Amino acid sequence: MWGSMGGWFGGGAQKRSDAPKTAILGLRQTLDMLQKREKHLENQMAEQDAVARKHVSTNKTAAKAALRRKQQHAHSLEQTTAQIATLEQQIYSIEAANINQETLKAMQKAGKAMSQIHQGLTIDKVDQTMDELREQHALGEEIANAITSTSVGEPIDEDELNDELADLEQKQLDEEMLNTGSVPINDEVAHRLPSVANGKLDGGKRPVRHEEEDEEAELAKLQAEMAM
């Protein structure tokens, strides 16, 4: 009873799976036997041909008997050769069918695996995922553009830079004049001082006294303005 139940649960399926292998094994054993018989018949034909040749001149009866046996062996050889060809065709057919069956099983397993993979996957979900990816990509591009196009900190005032540069130049000029013993004169003082070109030269000499009085007056005026 348990043996019959084993045939229903798994045992029968295993036997069906091994059936092609068993059939091919049996056919190959029979094919091996037929190939040995083919070789034996060829040897028998060669022997009978040698006997016929031996008695062809001395004993025609023996020669004919040998040729008769040779023909019988030749007929058996033809049948054996045909049987070998049939068995080889059967083996090829079973092997091809078995390969087709195994290929089909592999394709069925692949189909089930793909079905499981795609079980929770739909075109709508794919489109939604692609839209989300495109949105995130666009957001990343906007963030990158914002980072690279915006300067960090407050903008620099070029006018203030120019003023600061002018102050530095004036300070440097004043320091150089102090180091050389000259008194720095700004634009306003230079404008108020009389020009040598405007003074009248008398015999090639400058009006030194007049210029000294003007300078002293101008200095006094500046000192008064600075004291206020």
Side-chain angles (χ1 to χ4, degrees), residues 124-140:
D124 294 336
K125 289 183 178 180
V126 173
D127 292 339
Q128 181 181 358
T129 301
M130 295 305 297
D131 291 339
E132 291 176 355
L133 289 174
R134 282 190 287 268
E135 290 177 0
Q136 293 300 320
H137 180 71
L139 178 60

Side-chain angles (χ1 to χ4, degrees), residues 186-195 214 218 221-222 225:
N186 55 23
D187 293 340
E188 183 179 359
V189 176
H191 178 71
R192 293 179 182 179
L193 291 176
S195 176
D214 291 341
E218 188 65 30
K221 185 178 180 180
L222 286 174
E225 290 178 358

Side-chain angles (χ1 to χ4, degrees), residues 12-213:
Q14 183 65 32
K15 289 182 179 180
R16 287 193 299 271
S17 177
D18 294 338
K21 297 178 182 179
T22 303
I24 291 173
L25 180 61
L27 288 172
R28 288 192 180 280
Q29 290 176 351
T30 304
L31 179 63
D32 183 65
M33 179 191 67
L34 290 174
Q35 288 174 344
K36 290 179 179 180
R37 177 175 172 78
E38 181 183 35
K39 187 65 176 176
H40 175 71
L41 290 172
E42 290 174 352
N43 292 333
Q44 290 293 321
M45 289 177 61
E47 290 179 2
Q48 296 303 320
D49 182 75
V51 172
R53 290 176 183 275
K54 179 180 180 181
H55 298 289
V56 67
S57 299
T58 58
N59 190 349
K60 292 185 178 180
T61 302
K64 287 183 179 180
L67 291 175
R68 191 177 296 109
R69 288 190 295 271
K70 178 183 176 182
Q71 290 179 355
Q72 291 175 352
H73 292 324
H75 180 69
S76 298
L77 180 61
E78 290 179 359
Q79 292 180 342
T80 302
T81 302
Q83 291 172 350
I84 290 173
T86 301
L87 288 181
E88 289 176 344
Q89 181 63 35
Q90 290 296 321
I91 291 173
Y92 173 79
S93 298
I94 293 175
E95 287 179 344
N98 188 42
I99 291 173
N100 292 335
Q101 183 182 16
E102 295 298 328
T103 303
L104 180 60
K105 288 180 180 180
M107 293 176 65
Q108 289 175 346
K109 290 180 180 179
K112 290 179 180 179
M114 293 182 66
S115 178
Q116 292 177 357
I117 294 172
H118 295 158
Q119 185 175 4
L121 191 63
T122 61
I123 299 298
D124 294 336
K125 289 183 178 180
V126 173
D127 292 339
Q128 181 181 358
T129 301
M130 295 305 297
D131 291 339
E132 291 176 355
L133 289 174
R134 282 190 287 268
E135 290 177 0
Q136 293 300 320
H137 180 71
L139 178 60
E141 290 290 336
E142 292 178 0
I143 293 173
N145 292 332
I147 291 174
T148 55
S149 62
T150 303
S151 59
V152 179
E154 297 180 356
I156 299 174
D157 190 351
E158 294 294 333
D159 293 336
E160 291 182 0
L161 289 178
N162 292 331
D163 293 341
E164 186 175 356
L165 180 61
D167 292 339
L168 290 175
E169 291 176 350
Q170 184 63 41
K171 289 179 179 180
Q172 185 177 5
L173 182 60
D174 293 343
E175 290 177 358
E176 291 178 355
M177 289 183 175
L178 289 175
N179 292 331
T180 57
S182 301
V183 179
I185 302 174
N186 55 23
D187 293 340
E188 183 179 359
V189 176
H191 178 71
R192 293 179 182 179
L193 291 176
S195 176
V196 176
N198 293 332
K200 294 181 180 180
L201 297 179
D202 192 5
K205 297 181 180 180
R206 293 180 299 173
V208 178
R209 182 64 180 174
H210 182 68
E211 289 180 0
E212 290 178 354
E213 292 177 356

